[in-house]
Amino acid sequence: DGGITQSPKYLFRKEGQNVTLSCEQNLNHDAMYWYRQDPGQGLRLIYYSQIVNDFQKGDIAEGYSVSREKKESFPLTVTSAQKNPTAFYLCASSLRQGNTEAFFGQGTRLTVV
Amino acid sequence: GNSVTQMEGPVTLSEEAFLTINCTYTATGYPSLFWYVQYPGEGLQLLLKATKADDKGSNKGFEATYRKETTSFHLEKGSVQVSDSAVYFCALSDRTGANNLFFGTGTRLTVIP
C-alpha cells in the first residue's frame, strides 16, 4: 500500500543530544514537509523540499536540519541548539505539480528527558 | 501572500447538533481548498477537498463549498456524532509560490452525548 511512514512513534532525548526522525514515502511525491505541533496548537512549518537535493527553511527552522538525498526520504534532525524540542512532529508529502492534497504520516512524539 | 484564517475553538456540541466551522482564505493564484481532520495522537487525514470555485466537497456527512466571491470554505455537518470529536484544519494549496501548502490554526470539536 502506498503511504508515508514516520518512525519512531515515540522518541526520548536527553538534553544536549541530537536525534533524527525518519520520514519515508512510496507515493512518488516530489514535495515533502516537516511540521511541528505543540499541545493545542496548529501546525508550524520547519522545512520543506520540492525536489531531491534541495530544501528550504520554513517558519521555525532554527535548531533543526534536514537532508533530501533520495526522493522517498526526508529525515529531520533535532539538534541540541533547539531549546524546546518537546513536541509532536508531522511529516507530509504531496505532488509538486497541481494543487493536490498532502498526505501525512502518523507523527513522532519527541520528549526531552 | 497566501494564508488561511479559521474559526477559533474549542467548539462543544451535543450529539445530533448542526456544525459550522468557518474558514476564509487569501491566495495570490487559484488554489485548491481542503479540510483535514486529526484524531488524538495521530496525523492529519484528508476529509474533503474542492479544486475550483463553486465546487462542493463532501465526505462522511461533512460538506464545504468553495466560495470565490467571499473567499470562504466553511465546513458543515447536519448532525454530529461523538465520533466526530477531533481537530479540524482548513488548508489551501497554491502552486504559484515556492511553498504551496498553508494551514489554518485548527478548531477542536468536542461532541457530547
Side-chain angles (χ1 to χ4, degrees), chain B residues 26-49:
Chain B
T26 302
T28 54
Y30 301 93
S32 292
L33 301 174
F34 310 93
W35 277 100
Y36 288 84
V37 58
Q38 183 182 32
Y39 298 103
E42 297 185 7
L44 277 66
Q45 304 172 26
L46 180 68
L47 179 60
L48 54 84
K49 67 178 180 181

Side-chain angles (χ1 to χ4, degrees), chain A:
Chain A
D1 289 335
I4 181 165
T5 302
Q6 288 185 243
S7 62
K9 188 171 177 65
Y10 300 96
L11 185 58
F12 297 89
R13 189 196 94 170
K14 293 182 179 179
E15 287 195 27
Q17 284 184 337
N18 293 355
V19 289
T20 297
L21 283 59
S22 170
C23 179
E24 303 278 333
Q25 54 97 1
N26 61 4
L27 299 166
N28 200 32
H29 285 170
D30 291 301
M32 297 187 76
Y33 310 81
W34 274 106
Y35 295 91
R36 170 178 171 143
Q37 186 177 30
D38 292 285
Q41 303 297 313
L43 305 177
R44 292 189 289 169
L45 181 64
I46 305 173
Y47 270 97
Y48 63 100
S49 169
Q50 298 291 343
I51 198 168
V52 174
N53 292 323
D54 185 59
F55 48 83
Q56 305 296 326
K57 293 181 179 180
D59 301 319
I60 56 164
E62 185 175 354
Y64 300 97
S65 66
V66 293
S67 62
R68 187 81 189 280
E69 297 176 1
K70 298 186 296 183
K71 187 176 185 179
E72 60 269 24
S73 179
F74 191 42
L76 173 74
T77 297
V78 184
T79 75
S80 57
Q82 170 50 239
K83 298 306 178 188
N84 185 22
T86 295
F88 191 53
Y89 291 87
L90 287 163
C91 181
S93 70
S94 70
L95 289 170
R96 191 158 66 99
Q97 300 301 321
N99 294 349
T100 61
E101 67 266 31
F103 291 77
F104 282 81
Q106 290 298 297
T108 294
R109 185 165 301 281
L110 173 64
T111 303
V112 173
V113 296

Side-chain angles (χ1 to χ4, degrees), chain B residues 6-73:
Chain B
Q6 190 173 338
M7 183 174 100
E8 288 195 20
V11 174
T12 302
L13 295 174
S14 297
E15 206 164 20
E16 299 183 359
F18 184 86
L19 168 71
T20 300
I21 301 178
N22 290 338
C23 173
T24 57
Y25 69 90
T26 302
T28 54
Y30 301 93
S32 292
L33 301 174
F34 310 93
W35 277 100
Y36 288 84
V37 58
Q38 183 182 32
Y39 298 103
E42 297 185 7
L44 277 66
Q45 304 172 26
L46 180 68
L47 179 60
L48 54 84
K49 67 178 180 181
T51 58
K52 62 183 186 296
D54 299 323
D55 270 1
K56 177 185 283 188
S58 61
N59 186 26
K60 300 180 181 179
F62 291 89
E63 293 183 341
T65 301
Y66 190 144
R67 302 286 189 199
K68 189 175 180 181
E69 64 275 14
T70 53
T71 61
S72 66
F73 193 55

